[in-house]
Amino acid sequence: MPGGTIDVVRRLYEQPPDGFVAARAAAIGEARLAGDRETAKRLAALRKPTVAAWVVNLLAIRRPELIDELAELSTALRAAQRELRGEQLRELSNQRRQFVSSLVAAARRLAVEAGAPAAKLPLGEVEATITAALAEPEVAAQVRTGRLIRAATHSGFGEVPRPRLRLVTDDSADDSADADDSVPEDDAMSPEPAEAAAASAAARDRATAEQRRRRRELDRELNAALAAERRADGQLERAEEAERDAGHLVEDLDAELAELERRRAEAVADVARRKLARRTAEREAAAARRRVGDAQAALDDLTAGGT
């Protein structure tokens, strides 16, 4: 994106959202007048941010060094949680809470300086977005651009350590069964030991076979659920995109309607001015004709008297 376009985009996302649509329409108009259709197309694709997203954008645009510190703290927190360093993790967590509070306060000051009423700022959403940026590198990258269009949330923080599960194999099942079914020395001399051992082995085989069958069923159910989840996520993403596009179209039409109303008002005023000028010209023409008639009559009288 050319440097000039980047500056225009930054200015659009820097100003309060209630002026975004009109400012974007003006920027698109200027690009079209300059014959820069590509820039006009890029500007038309920009989405209006929510108030919370605008406040975060202000922070990213005007205080980028704070966003850099946020990224550094995020990296340290994820590393500490992966390595389960309890004391360091507690210290970083306390630092995180203090840092998030300071960023929210800085964002609030910037928004108030930009003309937003402090009482109406959605600081809870701003805090949730900053917290999500700390937890998720993807959100942090979006925040860094200064072009968020909505607030972000995160249900937890960092990477949750995976539980260490013991995989039960055929050998371990056999070992467990052997331990549970071990025959006391006194019972070794009991009648028909071969039949008892065979029955125990058959029971273990049945249990192992049942376990494998159940595992295959669960694998199929898991794969089906994952596929359904991917389809649902895709549908949700398409629905959200369609909703955004529809909202964007409404914003564009509102801006065009406002521009047409402005031009119509100017045209009505121009018609009124031209009508007044016409009436004035008509009066002057009528007066001139009267003067011509009077002069002609006086001339005729003078000519008749002379003869």
Side-chain angles (χ1 to χ4, degrees), residues 41-63:
K41 182 178 179 181
R42 289 172 176 170
L43 294 174
L46 298 178
R47 300 294 187 262
K48 177 182 175 180
T50 63
V51 175
W54 167 67
V55 175
V56 177
N57 289 338
L58 272 183
L59 190 66
I61 294 171
R62 298 185 180 178
R63 297 294 305 276

Side-chain angles (χ1 to χ4, degrees), residues 138-184:
E138 296 81 2
V139 178
Q142 294 175 14
V143 168
R144 191 186 294 273
T145 65
R147 286 186 286 170
L148 284 182
I149 60 174
R150 61 172 53 83
T153 58
H154 182 70
S155 57
F157 184 81
E159 300 175 1
V160 178
R162 298 179 180 274
R164 296 183 179 179
L165 301 178
R166 178 173 179 267
L167 179 61
V168 179
T169 63
D170 293 343
D171 293 339
S172 59
D174 290 343
D175 293 342
S176 176
D178 289 343
D180 293 338
D181 296 337
S182 59
V183 181

Side-chain angles (χ1 to χ4, degrees), residues 8-298:
V8 172
V9 172
R10 186 183 64 251
R11 287 195 298 270
L12 285 175
Y13 283 98
E14 222 175 353
Q15 66 176 356
D18 55 4
F20 181 88
V21 174
R24 183 186 60 193
I28 293 171
E30 291 176 3
R32 287 173 177 167
L33 286 175
D36 191 348
R37 297 175 60 87
E38 185 63 27
T39 295
K41 182 178 179 181
R42 289 172 176 170
L43 294 174
L46 298 178
R47 300 294 187 262
K48 177 182 175 180
T50 63
V51 175
W54 167 67
V55 175
V56 177
N57 289 338
L58 272 183
L59 190 66
I61 294 171
R62 298 185 180 178
R63 297 294 305 276
E65 74 281 2
L66 295 180
I67 305 303
D68 292 338
E69 292 180 25
L70 181 146
E72 293 174 2
L73 179 58
S74 174
T75 301
L77 276 166
R78 285 196 299 273
Q81 189 152 359
R82 279 196 303 270
E83 298 170 11
L84 297 178
R85 297 196 298 267
E87 183 176 351
Q88 183 183 8
L89 185 57
R90 284 191 296 273
E91 180 181 350
L92 287 172
S93 295
N94 291 333
Q95 184 179 349
R96 172 181 65 85
R97 286 191 292 271
Q98 296 172 2
F99 187 61
V100 169
S101 297
S102 67
L103 258 62
V104 172
R108 178 184 179 278
R109 286 194 297 271
L110 291 173
V112 172
E113 289 172 2
K120 294 184 179 181
L121 291 175
L123 298 182
E125 295 181 45
V126 173
E127 180 177 356
T129 302
I130 294 173
T131 302
L134 272 169
E136 302 179 23
E138 296 81 2
V139 178
Q142 294 175 14
V143 168
R144 191 186 294 273
T145 65
R147 286 186 286 170
L148 284 182
I149 60 174
R150 61 172 53 83
T153 58
H154 182 70
S155 57
F157 184 81
E159 300 175 1
V160 178
R162 298 179 180 274
R164 296 183 179 179
L165 301 178
R166 178 173 179 267
L167 179 61
V168 179
T169 63
D170 293 343
D171 293 339
S172 59
D174 290 343
D175 293 342
S176 176
D178 289 343
D180 293 338
D181 296 337
S182 59
V183 181
E185 186 175 352
D186 292 341
D187 293 340
M189 302 302 294
S190 62
E192 301 178 349
E195 289 81 352
S200 178
R204 288 198 301 272
D205 290 342
R206 286 195 299 271
T208 300
E210 176 63 20
Q211 184 185 39
R212 290 175 176 171
R213 184 192 65 79
R214 182 57 178 160
R215 183 178 182 82
R216 287 194 295 272
E217 289 180 355
L218 292 175
D219 285 341
R220 287 194 294 270
E221 291 178 6
L222 176 60
N223 290 333
L226 290 172
E229 181 185 30
R230 287 193 294 271
R231 290 194 297 271
D233 287 343
Q235 291 175 353
L236 175 60
E237 184 177 353
R238 289 191 294 273
E240 289 177 343
E241 184 177 359
E243 180 185 9
R244 289 194 298 270
D245 290 342
H248 189 45
L249 177 60
V250 171
E251 292 174 356
D252 288 344
L253 291 175
D254 286 342
E256 292 177 6
L257 180 60
E259 176 63 15
L260 289 174
E261 288 291 345
R262 184 189 65 78
R263 292 171 58 185
R264 180 181 181 279
E266 290 180 353
V268 169
D270 187 54
V271 168
R273 288 193 298 271
R274 293 178 184 276
K275 182 180 293 187
L276 179 62
R278 176 182 60 79
R279 289 175 178 174
T280 300
E282 287 177 347
R283 288 194 297 270
E284 291 177 353
R289 283 194 293 272
R290 286 194 300 272
R291 288 195 296 272
V292 169
D294 292 343
Q296 186 64 50

